[in-house]
Structure formats: structure tokens, C-alpha cells
Amino acid sequence: QVQLVESGGGLVQAGGSLRLSCTASGSIKKINAMGWYRQTPGKQRESVATITSGGNTNYADSVKGRFTISRDNAKVTVYLQMDSLKPEDTAVYYCNGDLTNRYYSRRNYWGQGTQVTVSS
């Protein structure tokens, strides 16, 4: 069974920084891509940043230049460094893994979510 566990959320003032971490565990054969999504009440979950197995990254326009996604393959962990945070970044942030498990089944896995609150 594959699990994604996030950490690092919290409360920060506008202009501050936070770093989110997400570690995947279980019977993983291959990491195809990992990413971060966020969701606020009444809105659809949106992509924030993704990183492929080849290291290619993609960012939402709203976070370009402020957020940085990175990964540690040895630790099966993906990070999201969030700088210059704004109140509109307040959301529940979810880790996503496009993973192939030991049965060679490729699917999306989600973490439980971590709250990020940015005060003005």
C-alpha cells in the first residue's frame, strides 16, 4: 500500500516563508511525477507545482518566482519552498504522486492535506 504523508504547514505572516514536505512510502516501483495542489472552500483543487521524474518543473502562474518545488529521490520526498507568501495562498495543500506500484499499476495518490494560513 502506498501512502503520502505531508508536513510543514502552519500559520505565517504575509511575506514570510514555509516549506512543505511530502514523503511517499510503500511498494513503489517508479515515481513518474509528484506535485502540490491546493484547495480553498468552495473552489476546485488547483495545481500549484509539479516535478517529473526527469526533473522538469511546472508552476501555476500565481506562484511563479515565489515557490520552488524540489525532490530527494533517495528519500522519496518532494518539497515545496514557499516564499513571499500572500494571504491568497491560504489553502489546504495536498501532495500528489503519479506512481507505479509493485503490481505495475500506475495511478494517482494523494496525501491527507496540510493547512497553510497566511495572515495579512
Side-chain angles (χ1 to χ4, degrees):
Q1 188 174 358
V2 175
Q3 286 188 318
L4 301 181
V5 178
E6 301 126 334
S7 62
L11 173 64
V12 66
Q13 288 189 331
S17 298
L18 283 174
R19 189 175 85 151
L20 305 183
S21 300
C22 171
T23 299
S25 63
S27 301
I28 301 168
K29 276 292 184 183
K30 182 182 178 184
I31 299 173
N32 303 298
M34 294 187 77
W36 291 94
Y37 291 70
R38 66 187 181 187
Q39 189 171 23
T40 55
K43 292 188 177 181
Q44 285 190 330
R45 193 172 296 186
E46 63 173 0
S47 176
V48 176
T50 58
I51 185 166
T52 67
S53 59
N56 294 318
T57 58
N58 191 54
Y59 296 92
D61 288 342
S62 59
V63 307
K64 282 181 181 176
R66 300 188 298 120
F67 290 11
T68 304
I69 189 169
S70 62
R71 64 177 188 198
D72 183 331
N73 288 337
K75 296 181 180 179
V76 201
T77 297
V78 64
Y79 305 96
L80 184 68
Q81 177 66 41
M82 304 186 292
D83 299 318
S84 303
L85 282 160
K86 304 176 181 179
E88 50 263 45
D89 294 318
T90 296
V92 177
Y93 283 71
Y94 295 91
C95 176
N96 173 268
D98 174 3
L99 309 172
T100 300
N101 63 26
R102 66 175 178 172
Y103 301 109
Y104 295 94
S105 174
R106 179 175 178 175
R107 54 163 287 192
N108 274 305
Y109 296 87
W110 293 93
Q112 78 283 1
T114 185
Q115 177 71 45
V116 171
T117 302
V118 184
S119 64
S120 57

